[in-house]
Amino acid sequence: MSIEVKNITKVYNDQKALNNVSFKVKDAEIVGFLGPNGAGKSTMMKILTTYIEASEGSAVVNEFDVNSDKKKVQSSVGYLPEHNPLYTDLYVKEYLNFNANAYGVPKSKINEVIELTGLKPEAHKKISQLSKGYRQRVGLANALLHNPEVLILDEPTTGLDPNQLVDIRNLIRSIGKEKTVFLSTHIMQEVEAMCDRVIIINKGEIVADKYLKDLREGQDQIVIAEFDYRIEDAFLLKLPKVTNVKNPHGFVYEITFNTKEDMRSHVFDFAHDNDLKILQLNQKNTSLESMFRELTS
Ligand code: ADP
Ligand code: MG
C-alpha cells in the first residue's frame, strides 16, 4: 500500500478543513483527488508530504508514518505543490542542480529527469522565460529527482492551455506506469483523462471512491435536448427509462436515462410526435460528471 490515511481531521482555528478522512492508495495506481475549491485537497496533500500536521488521525506513506518518520516520508515522496513555486531567476539546470544537492542526489539524475519530462529543448533557459506548461515540467522534474515511489501532485494541470494540457496529462500518465500518483483537481475531465480511480472530497469529507472502469461501465447517460418551446418535466418523464429531468436554462433539458441504448432517437421521435422542433441533441455517457455534480452541489 502506497498511502494509507486513517481518520484524519484537520482544524484551522475553528474551521474543519478535513473531517475524519480515510482512504488507501495501492502501488502504481493513478488516483484523482477531485473536489471543488476549498474542499480540503491541498490540506490533505500537505499532511501527506509532512508540510503540516493533522489535528487528529494518522497517515502512512510508503510504510512510513507522517508524524513519526517525517524524513523517510520526505525522501520517498515527490511533491508538486499548487502554484508550483519556482525560483524564476534561476536557469532550469541551476534550479535542478540546487535541489539535487539538497536531496543528496548524484548530478547524473538531472539529465535523466530532464529527458524524462521532455524538458530538453528548454533546459538551457531561465525559468522566467518558460511557458506555464514547461514550468510544470520543471516542477515535475524536481519532484522526480530523488526517484520517489509516490508522487503527490496538487492541481498539476490547472491553468494550462489546451496543448500544454494534453502534453502534461500524457507525461503524468506515463510516469504513472511506474509510480503511484495521487493528484488533485477540481476539474472532472482531468480525472477522466488521467486516472484509474477517483476519490471525491467535498467540504472536508470523502463522498465517493470509485474506479473509472466501473463508472464507464455504468448505465447512466444524459441526453441534452433543446426544443423550440417549453415542456413540462412531467411530460419528458414519460420517456422510456428516464430517471431524471433538469431544465438548466431556456428550453434546454438534460434528460437522464438508465440504459446503455442510445436514447437520442427516442427523444427525436418524442419531439416529432408532439410537434416540437429540436434545435440541439447531444448525448453524454457521463456517470462521473453527474455523480460529481450531485455529490458536490
Ligand atoms: P482545496 O485545496 O480543496 O481548494 P484547501 O485544503 O486549500 O482546499 O482548503 C480547505 C479549507 O481550509 C478552505 O476553507 C481554506 O480556506 C481553509 N484553509 C486552508 N489553509 C488554511 C490555513 N493555513 N489557515 C486557515 N484556513 C485554511
Ligand atoms: Mg488546493
Side-chain angles (χ1 to χ4, degrees):
M1 207 61 69
S2 287
I3 300 175
E4 268 191 271
V5 172
K6 281 187 225 148
N7 310 104
I8 291 243
T9 293
K10 175 69 187 181
V11 183
Y12 292 115
N13 310 316
D14 54 357
Q15 190 205 353
K16 247 186 204 173
L18 294 172
N19 186 11
N20 200 25
V21 170
S22 300
F23 61 87
K24 291 179 186 174
V25 177
K26 286 189 254 171
D27 296 343
E29 265 187 327
I30 305 187
V31 176
F33 197 37
L34 175 67
N37 287 324
K41 303 181 296 293
S42 296
T43 299
M44 188 72 244
M45 294 185 144
K46 287 178 204 165
I47 292 170
L48 292 175
T49 50
T50 76
Y51 277 81
I52 60 172
E53 285 189 5
S55 313
E56 281 171 57
S58 64
V60 174
V61 181
N62 290 318
E63 317 296 326
F64 303 122
D65 189 291
V66 295
N67 285 321
S68 55
D69 249 338
K70 285 199 170 63
K71 281 270 171 308
K72 285 192 175 139
V73 171
Q74 288 160 11
S75 65
S76 64
V77 168
Y79 178 37
L80 178 66
E82 199 174 3
H83 312 301
N84 183 18
L86 296 168
Y87 297 96
T88 50
D89 282 341
L90 294 184
Y91 287 82
V92 172
K93 283 203 176 168
E94 286 174 345
Y95 177 72
L96 293 175
N97 193 29
F98 179 86
N99 288 318
N101 279 333
Y103 284 131
V105 166
K107 287 230 159 61
S108 59
K109 269 311 270 187
I110 297 172
N111 283 331
E112 214 176 286
V113 295
I114 285 177
E115 199 73 50
L116 186 68
T117 54
L119 259 176
K120 210 161 179 196
E122 307 282 288
H124 59 286
K125 289 189 181 167
K126 231 184 200 184
I127 292 174
S128 60
Q129 294 174 301
L130 300 182
S131 66
K132 175 102 201 294
Y134 271 94
R135 288 184 196 200
Q136 280 307 70
R137 286 174 203 258
V138 177
L140 281 168
N142 183 49
L144 287 164
L145 265 178
H146 55 306
N147 199 22
E149 301 284 312
V150 173
L151 277 180
I152 294 188
L153 312 176
D154 199 352
E155 308 247 4
T157 55
T158 297
L160 300 180
D161 75 30
N163 289 327
Q164 297 165 347
L165 196 61
V166 171
D167 292 343
I168 297 293
R169 281 173 177 173
N170 287 339
L171 177 58
I172 291 172
R173 258 204 307 247
S174 79
I175 293 169
K177 286 189 186 130
E178 318 220 316
K179 297 186 186 292
T180 304
V181 177
F182 184 59
L183 68 90
S184 74
T185 177
H186 60 281
I187 302 159
M188 192 236 12
Q189 286 83 350
E190 295 306 293
V191 171
E192 278 186 307
M194 287 183 284
C195 302
D196 304 319
R197 183 179 148 206
V198 61
I199 298 175
I200 303 182
I201 182 167
N202 191 40
K203 297 182 184 147
E205 297 188 14
I206 305 295
V207 290
D209 182 345
K210 304 256 183 198
Y211 281 91
L212 278 267
K213 177 171 70 63
D214 296 338
L215 286 172
R216 287 195 189 102
E217 283 165 9
Q219 298 264 320
D220 273 356
Q221 72 177 285
I222 298 173
V223 172
I224 300 168
E226 183 177 4
F227 302 101
D228 64 340
Y229 206 73
R230 178 163 303 286
I231 305 169
E232 291 300 319
D233 289 0
F235 212 45
L236 287 166
L237 283 165
K238 286 183 189 151
L239 279 158
K241 295 174 182 145
V242 168
T243 56
N244 193 24
V245 172
K246 277 186 193 160
N247 174 211
H249 54 88
F251 304 149
V252 174
Y253 295 82
E254 289 185 13
I255 313 160
T256 307
F257 295 94
N258 188 243
T259 174
K260 280 185 182 167
E261 183 195 345
D262 185 341
M263 294 304 282
R264 283 175 298 181
S265 58
H266 289 268
V267 175
F268 191 86
D269 290 345
F270 168 89
H272 182 261
D273 294 346
N274 291 286
D275 270 340
L276 293 159
K277 288 198 178 68
I278 288 201
L279 306 177
Q280 192 204 140
L281 190 59
N282 291 307
Q283 185 207 33
K284 287 199 287 183
N285 206 325
T286 52
S287 15
L288 179 58
E289 180 169 336
S290 48
M291 186 172 79
F292 182 54
R293 259 193 286 163
E294 270 168 38
L295 292 172
T296 59
S297 62

